[in-house]
mmCIF file of all heavy atoms in Angstrom:
data_model
loop_
_atom_site.group_PDB
_atom_site.id
_atom_site.type_symbol
_atom_site.label_atom_id
_atom_site.label_comp_id
_atom_site.label_asym_id
_atom_site.label_seq_id
_atom_site.Cartn_x
_atom_site.Cartn_y
_atom_site.Cartn_z
ATOM 1 N N GLY J 1066 235.204 20.792 141.732
ATOM 2 C CA GLY J 1066 233.840 20.432 142.068
ATOM 3 C C GLY J 1066 233.135 21.440 142.927
ATOM 4 O O GLY J 1066 233.760 22.219 143.629
ATOM 5 N N ARG J 1067 231.830 21.355 142.862
ATOM 6 C CA ARG J 1067 230.999 22.171 143.746
ATOM 7 C C ARG J 1067 229.776 21.357 144.132
ATOM 8 O O ARG J 1067 229.236 20.598 143.345
ATOM 9 C CB ARG J 1067 230.606 23.484 143.089
ATOM 10 C CG ARG J 1067 229.700 23.349 141.883
ATOM 11 C CD ARG J 1067 229.404 24.734 141.295
ATOM 12 N NE ARG J 1067 228.412 24.641 140.252
ATOM 13 C CZ ARG J 1067 228.675 24.429 138.973
ATOM 14 N NH1 ARG J 1067 229.903 24.289 138.568
ATOM 15 N NH2 ARG J 1067 227.697 24.364 138.089
ATOM 16 N N ALA J 1068 229.396 21.519 145.361
ATOM 17 C CA ALA J 1068 228.186 20.858 145.842
ATOM 18 C C ALA J 1068 227.009 21.793 145.631
ATOM 19 O O ALA J 1068 227.182 22.991 145.407
ATOM 20 C CB ALA J 1068 228.334 20.520 147.325
ATOM 21 N N ALA J 1069 225.830 21.245 145.695
ATOM 22 C CA ALA J 1069 224.626 22.068 145.591
ATOM 23 C C ALA J 1069 224.671 23.109 146.707
ATOM 24 O O ALA J 1069 225.201 22.868 147.787
ATOM 25 C CB ALA J 1069 223.380 21.205 145.702
ATOM 26 N N SER J 1070 224.097 24.280 146.456
ATOM 27 C CA SER J 1070 224.189 25.365 147.425
ATOM 28 C C SER J 1070 223.333 25.138 148.662
ATOM 29 O O SER J 1070 223.539 25.760 149.677
ATOM 30 C CB SER J 1070 223.797 26.687 146.765
ATOM 31 O OG SER J 1070 222.466 26.597 146.281
ATOM 32 N N ALA J 1071 222.380 24.242 148.572
ATOM 33 C CA ALA J 1071 221.539 23.958 149.732
ATOM 34 C C ALA J 1071 221.217 22.474 149.748
ATOM 35 O O ALA J 1071 221.074 21.854 148.706
ATOM 36 C CB ALA J 1071 220.234 24.758 149.647
ATOM 37 N N PRO J 1072 221.115 21.902 150.955
ATOM 38 C CA PRO J 1072 220.740 20.493 151.015
ATOM 39 C C PRO J 1072 219.351 20.307 150.427
ATOM 40 O O PRO J 1072 218.523 21.215 150.451
ATOM 41 C CB PRO J 1072 220.777 20.161 152.502
ATOM 42 C CG PRO J 1072 220.903 21.441 153.221
ATOM 43 C CD PRO J 1072 221.312 22.505 152.245
ATOM 44 N N ARG J 1073 219.107 19.130 149.892
ATOM 45 C CA ARG J 1073 217.830 18.842 149.248
ATOM 46 C C ARG J 1073 216.696 18.671 150.241
ATOM 47 O O ARG J 1073 215.566 18.482 149.873
ATOM 48 C CB ARG J 1073 217.971 17.601 148.380
ATOM 49 C CG ARG J 1073 218.909 17.803 147.230
ATOM 50 C CD ARG J 1073 218.972 16.591 146.354
ATOM 51 N NE ARG J 1073 217.678 16.010 146.106
ATOM 52 C CZ ARG J 1073 216.780 16.458 145.227
ATOM 53 N NH1 ARG J 1073 217.034 17.510 144.515
ATOM 54 N NH2 ARG J 1073 215.637 15.838 145.072
ATOM 55 N N GLY J 1074 216.990 18.675 151.536
ATOM 56 C CA GLY J 1074 215.928 18.565 152.523
ATOM 57 C C GLY J 1074 215.637 17.141 152.931
ATOM 58 O O GLY J 1074 214.814 16.909 153.806
ATOM 59 N N THR J 1075 216.296 16.172 152.354
ATOM 60 C CA THR J 1075 216.087 14.785 152.730
ATOM 61 C C THR J 1075 216.958 14.477 153.927
ATOM 62 O O THR J 1075 218.136 14.817 153.950
ATOM 63 C CB THR J 1075 216.478 13.846 151.561
ATOM 64 O OG1 THR J 1075 215.747 14.261 150.418
ATOM 65 C CG2 THR J 1075 216.197 12.403 151.883
ATOM 66 N N ALA J 1076 216.425 13.828 154.911
ATOM 67 C CA ALA J 1076 217.159 13.533 156.134
ATOM 68 C C ALA J 1076 218.419 12.718 155.862
ATOM 69 O O ALA J 1076 219.408 12.842 156.572
ATOM 70 C CB ALA J 1076 216.259 12.791 157.115
ATOM 71 N N ALA J 1077 218.394 11.888 154.848
ATOM 72 C CA ALA J 1077 219.541 11.028 154.557
ATOM 73 C C ALA J 1077 220.703 11.787 153.929
ATOM 74 O O ALA J 1077 221.802 11.276 153.861
ATOM 75 C CB ALA J 1077 219.124 9.898 153.614
ATOM 76 N N ARG J 1078 220.499 13.025 153.526
ATOM 77 C CA ARG J 1078 221.556 13.777 152.868
ATOM 78 C C ARG J 1078 222.251 14.700 153.858
ATOM 79 O O ARG J 1078 221.619 15.292 154.716
ATOM 80 C CB ARG J 1078 220.985 14.615 151.734
ATOM 81 C CG ARG J 1078 220.398 13.787 150.661
ATOM 82 C CD ARG J 1078 220.018 14.691 149.509
ATOM 83 N NE ARG J 1078 218.965 14.107 148.730
ATOM 84 C CZ ARG J 1078 219.060 12.990 148.051
ATOM 85 N NH1 ARG J 1078 220.148 12.311 148.081
ATOM 86 N NH2 ARG J 1078 218.058 12.538 147.360
ATOM 87 N N ARG J 1079 223.536 14.846 153.671
ATOM 88 C CA ARG J 1079 224.293 15.799 154.459
ATOM 89 C C ARG J 1079 224.304 17.131 153.742
ATOM 90 O O ARG J 1079 224.341 17.185 152.527
ATOM 91 C CB ARG J 1079 225.742 15.329 154.596
ATOM 92 C CG ARG J 1079 225.881 14.086 155.398
ATOM 93 C CD ARG J 1079 227.351 13.758 155.526
ATOM 94 N NE ARG J 1079 227.465 12.441 156.110
ATOM 95 C CZ ARG J 1079 228.467 11.638 155.877
ATOM 96 N NH1 ARG J 1079 229.428 11.996 155.076
ATOM 97 N NH2 ARG J 1079 228.521 10.463 156.455
ATOM 98 N N ALA J 1080 224.341 18.198 154.502
ATOM 99 C CA ALA J 1080 224.492 19.518 153.901
ATOM 100 C C ALA J 1080 225.892 19.621 153.314
ATOM 101 O O ALA J 1080 226.831 19.038 153.847
ATOM 102 C CB ALA J 1080 224.279 20.606 154.955
ATOM 103 N N PRO J 1081 226.054 20.343 152.225
ATOM 104 C CA PRO J 1081 227.384 20.505 151.653
ATOM 105 C C PRO J 1081 228.332 21.112 152.675
ATOM 106 O O PRO J 1081 227.959 22.015 153.428
ATOM 107 C CB PRO J 1081 227.166 21.464 150.489
ATOM 108 C CG PRO J 1081 225.714 21.396 150.188
ATOM 109 C CD PRO J 1081 225.028 21.042 151.476
ATOM 110 N N ALA J 1082 229.550 20.624 152.723
ATOM 111 C CA ALA J 1082 230.530 21.133 153.669
ATOM 112 C C ALA J 1082 230.943 22.554 153.314
ATOM 113 O O ALA J 1082 231.232 23.348 154.187
ATOM 114 C CB ALA J 1082 231.747 20.231 153.693
ATOM 115 N N SER J 1083 230.932 22.878 152.051
ATOM 116 C CA SER J 1083 231.381 24.181 151.624
ATOM 117 C C SER J 1083 230.900 24.451 150.217
ATOM 118 O O SER J 1083 230.828 23.551 149.401
ATOM 119 C CB SER J 1083 232.912 24.232 151.645
ATOM 120 O OG SER J 1083 233.361 25.382 150.997
ATOM 121 N N GLY J 1084 230.591 25.694 149.931
ATOM 122 C CA GLY J 1084 230.223 26.074 148.578
ATOM 123 C C GLY J 1084 231.451 26.376 147.729
ATOM 124 O O GLY J 1084 231.353 26.619 146.554
ATOM 125 N N ARG J 1085 232.639 26.401 148.362
ATOM 126 C CA ARG J 1085 233.866 26.697 147.636
ATOM 127 C C ARG J 1085 234.234 25.557 146.704
ATOM 128 O O ARG J 1085 233.928 24.407 146.963
ATOM 129 C CB ARG J 1085 235.020 26.918 148.613
ATOM 130 C CG ARG J 1085 234.866 28.207 149.392
ATOM 131 C CD ARG J 1085 235.988 28.353 150.380
ATOM 132 N NE ARG J 1085 235.719 27.396 151.471
ATOM 133 C CZ ARG J 1085 236.644 26.850 152.224
ATOM 134 N NH1 ARG J 1085 237.911 27.106 152.021
ATOM 135 N NH2 ARG J 1085 236.313 26.019 153.191
ATOM 136 N N GLU J 1086 234.917 25.903 145.628
ATOM 137 C CA GLU J 1086 235.402 24.873 144.712
ATOM 138 C C GLU J 1086 236.521 24.095 145.366
ATOM 139 O O GLU J 1086 237.319 24.636 146.105
ATOM 140 C CB GLU J 1086 235.957 25.521 143.431
ATOM 141 C CG GLU J 1086 234.943 25.755 142.404
ATOM 142 C CD GLU J 1086 235.588 26.129 141.072
ATOM 143 O OE1 GLU J 1086 236.809 26.334 140.999
ATOM 144 O OE2 GLU J 1086 234.813 26.214 140.117
ATOM 145 N N ARG J 1087 236.546 22.805 145.089
ATOM 146 C CA ARG J 1087 237.663 21.966 145.507
ATOM 147 C C ARG J 1087 238.449 21.607 144.262
ATOM 148 O O ARG J 1087 237.889 21.399 143.204
ATOM 149 C CB ARG J 1087 237.160 20.673 146.136
ATOM 150 C CG ARG J 1087 236.563 20.850 147.484
ATOM 151 C CD ARG J 1087 236.190 19.548 148.107
ATOM 152 N NE ARG J 1087 236.247 18.445 147.156
ATOM 153 C CZ ARG J 1087 236.144 17.188 147.507
ATOM 154 N NH1 ARG J 1087 235.993 16.864 148.749
ATOM 155 N NH2 ARG J 1087 236.184 16.230 146.600
ATOM 156 N N LEU J 1088 239.742 21.516 144.423
ATOM 157 C CA LEU J 1088 240.586 21.100 143.314
ATOM 158 C C LEU J 1088 241.274 19.810 143.713
ATOM 159 O O LEU J 1088 241.916 19.745 144.741
ATOM 160 C CB LEU J 1088 241.630 22.170 143.003
ATOM 161 C CG LEU J 1088 242.656 21.838 141.932
ATOM 162 C CD1 LEU J 1088 241.955 21.618 140.592
ATOM 163 C CD2 LEU J 1088 243.662 22.952 141.821
ATOM 164 N N LEU J 1089 241.081 18.791 142.917
ATOM 165 C CA LEU J 1089 241.700 17.496 143.167
ATOM 166 C C LEU J 1089 242.608 17.186 141.991
ATOM 167 O O LEU J 1089 242.221 17.350 140.844
ATOM 168 C CB LEU J 1089 240.628 16.404 143.273
ATOM 169 C CG LEU J 1089 239.517 16.623 144.270
ATOM 170 C CD1 LEU J 1089 238.466 15.549 144.094
ATOM 171 C CD2 LEU J 1089 240.062 16.613 145.674
ATOM 172 N N ARG J 1090 243.780 16.732 142.238
ATOM 173 C CA ARG J 1090 244.661 16.278 141.170
ATOM 174 C C ARG J 1090 244.672 14.753 141.250
ATOM 175 O O ARG J 1090 244.933 14.182 142.282
ATOM 176 C CB ARG J 1090 246.063 16.814 141.353
ATOM 177 C CG ARG J 1090 246.066 18.315 141.248
ATOM 178 C CD ARG J 1090 247.164 18.781 140.339
ATOM 179 N NE ARG J 1090 247.214 20.221 140.361
ATOM 180 C CZ ARG J 1090 246.672 20.981 139.430
ATOM 181 N NH1 ARG J 1090 246.039 20.444 138.432
ATOM 182 N NH2 ARG J 1090 246.748 22.280 139.503
#
Side-chain angles (χ1 to χ4, degrees):
R1067 66 181 187 271
S1070 60
R1073 295 183 43 79
T1075 305
R1078 296 187 205 296
R1079 293 183 189 151
S1083 169
R1085 290 178 286 153
E1086 273 191 353
R1087 288 185 349 170
L1088 176 62
L1089 306 172
R1090 296 227 185 261

